[in-house]
Amino acid sequence: MDNNDPNVANTGVESSDWSTYLTNTAEVQVDADLTDNVTGVIRLVNQRLWGDVYGNNTAADNTYGIIGAPYTDQVAARTVSSADSFDVNVDLAYIELKEFLYSPLTLKIGRQDLWFGKGFIVGANLQDPNGNLLPREYTAIKSFDAIRATLDYDPWTIDGVFAKIRENQDRADEDINLWGTNVGYKFNEYNAEAEGYWWFKQQRYVGTTSNGATMPSVLNGHQSNDVHTFGLRGSFDPIEDWTIALEGAYQLGEYIGAAQQIEERSRSAWAVDAMVECRYFQDNFAWRPVVGAEYILYSGEENLGNTTATTNGTYNGWDPVYRGKFDTAIREFQNVFYRTAMGSSPSTTNQHQILLTGKVEPTDSLTLKGTFGNFWLAEEWASTTTVVNQNEEQYLGSEADITLTWDYTEDVQFGLLTAWFFPGDHFANSQDDVATDVVGSVSLNF
């Protein structure tokens, strides 16, 4: 990868200097049917950089952002003091109880993956426990410590979830918890489905704020940084080979993000994801082309660069919760895993994006995918003298991603991703070099 922050001044490294890594991820999963309707699942993972024989990178490298943190904590550092490249981590460890108490109910208890709908709100809890990875967006560990109850009343499905995200030990009210329910229905016609949901990220630990100050865990003993997310999602095929999907969500709750705040601010934020896919040409041409377009909006906080504005009034910035749907290779992780000097442009809030996608299959074993995205701020950043390296221009830039996969055998797949992010007018002249990712992969599944 080259210049992912796109900021020469911020790193002190010339943008022409590439960062190159070889990584190895090994996963072993065992599913065991123990007794009638009782299953145990465990998955062990080791992920490491080639050549990291001492099991610990420098202290600065052993930090990572937390995808599910609030916007102000997106690039908060977490230092791993005893990382070991050769450690084997437990990614999944849960029991599944089918027909628990009565036949429609299934219960999963333990460390498990959670993915709902398209993963727009809940899909991934990205973690690198040992701090072994430098391109941390490629971590294989995305699981939650959770209890999930599923009622299957076909065509209805009802899920209830409790997950413990962070245990802060000192006080019960400092933890981060995730509560939620998801109700889905599948229709008999038009390949249609719909679901509604409520997710509650319960958080009083607020960590580091947007201006770098450290907030106390609980302000005046009762303030919170809670996020309630209510949403609806649906998709259907109006005619054969066409799919239309739409998802909308609204957030309320409280927000803490500035050290000078005395009381929390009310939240009022929203997000929209609209998509159309055309498979009409798939059966009419040898290369089986598929094309699509998608528009996503994450609402933003108006005049966030104005220090006074961050301490009062309603907060309109979108919180990503634990989103698992990542659409691009570079822009998606700016100011999440790759800190830029343009702190006004996190990829998880205050953003419009339009994506154009295409896929062809030159042969039965080769698949070529392309994505082109445009990004701009939803609300203008109003810079002040106390905020440096900010720009009131709203155009963030564009990105082109090309992915080639080759199914060498049924079990072995080779992949090549090439991505370019072209910074827009929002990035200052000293932070506007093109960012590039080139990622090759070999996957074995057996």
Side-chain angles (χ1 to χ4, degrees), residues 162-194:
F162 166 76
K164 176 70 69 173
I165 305 299
R166 179 183 290 172
E167 174 60 66
N168 288 309
Q169 299 180 355
D170 295 335
R171 295 175 51 156
D173 61 2
E174 289 183 340
D175 297 347
I176 299 178
N177 301 315
L178 180 69
W179 305 77
T181 185
N182 191 94
V183 180
Y185 185 86
K186 291 189 176 181
F187 297 86
N188 293 326
E189 298 180 334
Y190 300 106
N191 193 29
E193 60 178 356

Side-chain angles (χ1 to χ4, degrees), residues 56 77 103 153 190 195 225 236 262 298 348 445:
N56 210 336
S103 58
Y153 294 121
Y190 300 106
E195 64 181 358
N225 206 36
F236 73 110
I262 299 175
Y298 306 120
T348 55
N445 298 296

Side-chain angles (χ1 to χ4, degrees), residues 59 89 94 114 190 270 285 289 295 304 337 347 368 383 390 396:
N89 299 113
Y94 67 88
L114 296 176
Y190 300 106
W270 59 94
F285 293 89
Y295 167 74
L304 189 59
F337 291 125
S347 61
L368 182 65
S383 60
Q390 307 303 338
L396 293 167

